[in-house]
Amino acid sequence: FSVFSVLMIPAAGEHPAGRGGDESTEYSSINWLLVWSVCGRLTVSSAFCALYVYTPELFPTVVRTQGLGMCSMVARVGSISAPFLLSWGHNHPMALYLVFSACCLIAAMTMSRLPETSNKPLPETMQEVHHLLGT
């Protein structure tokens, strides 16, 4: 869906009433909103796919499925709260973008603290996880 949306951005720039007046300025701002919204959707979809690849590598074998299930449950809490934030955003549209942007920045900062797992064996015990995390 995201790739299809990105391919449709050039077609979204064509205004059916032509150019000119206040309508084109208003339509231009809506077009940029569409572009940034689709780009945000694309990056969120990519990050969600990476979740299922990277997350199991952090947990030892004995709790790997429970760890992935817990992380997936926490992600669903965000999905459940999104419609409530959208209804709140009708009164405060800029605050809505700030909330979503802050959540993305917090997630990025948290992810930057996780260890690199490339070309390393998956941990089998909790002691190996502590060694991987450096604690």
Side-chain angles (χ1 to χ4, degrees):
F1 173 74
S2 296
V3 174
F4 177 72
S5 299
V6 170
L7 295 175
M8 293 303 294
I9 290 174
E14 299 171 7
H15 193 281
R19 304 227 187 269
D22 294 330
E23 291 180 4
S24 67
T25 305
E26 180 182 337
Y27 187 75
S28 176
S29 65
I30 292 171
N31 190 25
W32 278 110
L33 181 63
L34 173 71
V35 169
W36 286 112
S37 296
V38 169
C39 289
R41 170 75 177 149
L42 181 68
T43 55
V44 167
S45 295
S46 300
F48 199 70
C49 290
L51 169 85
Y52 286 104
V53 174
Y54 184 67
T55 304
E57 295 179 359
L58 296 176
F59 294 104
T61 303
V62 293
V63 294
R64 190 164 290 144
T65 55
Q66 290 90 357
L68 181 61
M70 182 63 87
C71 290
S72 181
M73 182 193 72
V74 171
R76 298 300 185 258
V77 170
S79 298
I80 291 169
S81 64
F84 297 111
L85 288 173
L86 288 175
S87 66
W88 176 67
H90 290 297
N91 298 330
H92 310 286
M94 200 54 156
L96 179 67
Y97 288 106
L98 291 175
V99 167
F100 283 122
S101 299
C103 289
C104 290
L105 287 174
I106 290 169
M109 288 188 294
T110 304
M111 287 290 294
S112 69
R113 303 284 300 156
L114 293 175
E116 177 62 47
T117 59
S118 178
N119 297 325
K120 293 183 180 177
L122 294 178
E124 297 289 331
T125 63
M126 289 302 287
Q127 289 79 18
E128 292 178 7
V129 171
H130 289 295
H131 178 68
L132 179 69
L133 294 174
T135 59

